[in-house]
Amino acid sequence: MSKRLSVASPPARYLFSALLILALGGCQTTGIEDITGALGGKSETAGRADTKPDVRPDMRPDMDALRERYRARPGDPNIALEYGKALRQTGQRAQALAVLEQAVLAHSSNKALLAGYGRALADSGSFQQAFDVLGRAHSPEDPDWHILSAQGAALDQLGRNEEAQQYYAAALKIVPDEPSVLSNLGLSYMLQNNLPRAEETMRRAHARNPADLRVRANLALVLGLEGKQAEAETIVKADLPPDQAAAKVTALRQLLVKKQQRAEK
């Protein structure tokens, strides 16, 4: 008798990361609360873990100027935060973590620094520590929906999906139908193999912001896992040049075949 695939199982989580890299490759920005990446860390591809952030040339920070400012005033928390964020945006995760860690040691109550440090920890795959640090970055009296969503993404990486969904729900109370939070929530349902609910949530996110490439990619991912391959491929092809789209579709088909093979074992 074939066993029903559990998306939360280790092999399936590996497949999930591969699919997420496939879906988000080329359109991901840094930030654990991104979808996608929201899941930060090894799958930020992760996807919810990790591909190198794709920063457009016109959006790339002036790293030389920032580096000089930081060297001149390493104790300035605002400069450290700006420099750390720029390092993350350009894929220099280890350096970002070091800069922000030093800044937090000197300014342990600075909530903006704590938030940046928490995201950098997630980039490095330290999800439990990221969750704990992010929890210090805001308070119940003054909640930040970005941080709540980031905490949810960290919990999903730890396999604590139901807890993660509580954090997304709290974020959505502050910003109802925020597409980035809905997209993270949809991926969380997907990790539980609750694909119908994942699709419903992703479609809500897409309806709120149909131009967001990350949301579209996540919707295509869920549709593909459900076997709605034609619609998934249509979404993938819409956002890429023909040659890249063909490569992505081929990869998607191969990964879905592997998923089916695992499900039948």
Side-chain angles (χ1 to χ4, degrees):
M1 180 181 295
S2 63
K3 297 179 181 179
R4 182 171 181 264
L5 175 68
S6 171
V7 180
S9 66
R13 289 183 70 83
Y14 173 81
L15 172 64
F16 164 69
S17 295
L19 280 168
L20 199 55
I21 291 170
L22 165 74
L24 295 183
C27 65
Q28 181 154 351
T29 60
T30 188
I32 186 175
E33 75 276 11
D34 290 344
I35 88 68
T36 70
L39 283 182
K42 295 180 182 178
S43 62
E44 199 180 349
T45 353
R48 263 166 155 53
D50 215 319
T51 57
K52 185 175 181 180
D54 181 23
V55 182
R56 297 203 317 263
D58 60 333
M59 296 178 63
R60 190 174 295 278
D62 186 342
M63 294 303 299
D64 291 336
L66 279 172
R67 188 178 301 108
E68 290 306 313
R69 288 178 60 201
Y70 176 71
R71 287 175 177 172
R73 300 176 62 186
D76 188 314
N78 295 324
I79 293 176
L81 180 61
E82 185 179 1
Y83 185 43
K85 180 179 179 181
L87 287 168
R88 290 183 64 232
Q89 287 178 332
T90 53
Q92 301 176 71
R93 293 184 171 85
Q95 297 93 319
L97 184 62
V99 166
L100 292 167
E101 183 175 32
Q102 286 299 116
V104 166
L105 288 173
H107 306 277
S108 59
S109 61
N110 186 308
K111 294 187 182 303
L113 274 178
L114 286 167
Y117 181 44
R119 291 181 171 93
L121 284 165
D123 286 347
S124 71
S126 300
F127 298 113
Q128 182 61 60
Q129 190 178 357
F131 174 78
D132 295 338
V133 169
L134 288 166
R136 293 163 51 199
H138 67 157
S139 63
E141 298 77 23
D142 185 25
D144 183 327
W145 70 266
H146 296 92
I147 294 175
L148 288 168
S149 186
Q151 286 181 284
L155 287 169
D156 269 328
Q157 286 293 324
L158 292 167
R160 294 156 60 181
N161 308 115
E162 291 185 3
E163 291 179 67
Q165 290 158 21
Q166 293 175 13
Y167 279 81
Y168 299 137
L172 289 169
K173 287 182 180 179
I174 301 171
V175 283
D177 286 335
E178 164 58 38
S180 63
V181 181
L182 287 172
S183 189
N184 274 356
L185 177 59
L187 290 176
S188 185
Y189 289 138
M190 189 185 73
L191 281 171
Q192 292 181 309
N193 207 24
N194 189 346
L195 297 180
R197 194 164 187 183
E199 179 188 347
E200 176 190 3
T201 306
M202 287 298 184
R203 288 195 185 278
R204 284 173 58 198
H206 180 255
R208 294 291 296 177
N209 189 1
D212 190 318
L213 298 184
R214 290 164 299 176
V215 173
R216 288 171 59 81
N218 289 337
L219 175 58
L221 173 59
V222 171
L223 290 170
L225 290 172
E226 286 188 293
K228 300 178 181 180
Q229 193 164 324
E231 185 177 1
E233 291 181 8
T234 298
I235 293 173
V236 170
K237 291 176 180 177
D239 295 324
L240 295 169
D243 57 339
Q244 293 183 34
K248 296 282 187 181
V249 167
T250 298
L252 177 61
R253 289 174 177 172
Q254 292 172 345
L255 287 166
L256 293 178
V257 167
K258 291 179 182 179
K259 170 184 178 289
Q260 183 60 36
Q261 290 172 344
R262 287 193 178 98
E264 292 173 352
K265 290 181 180 179

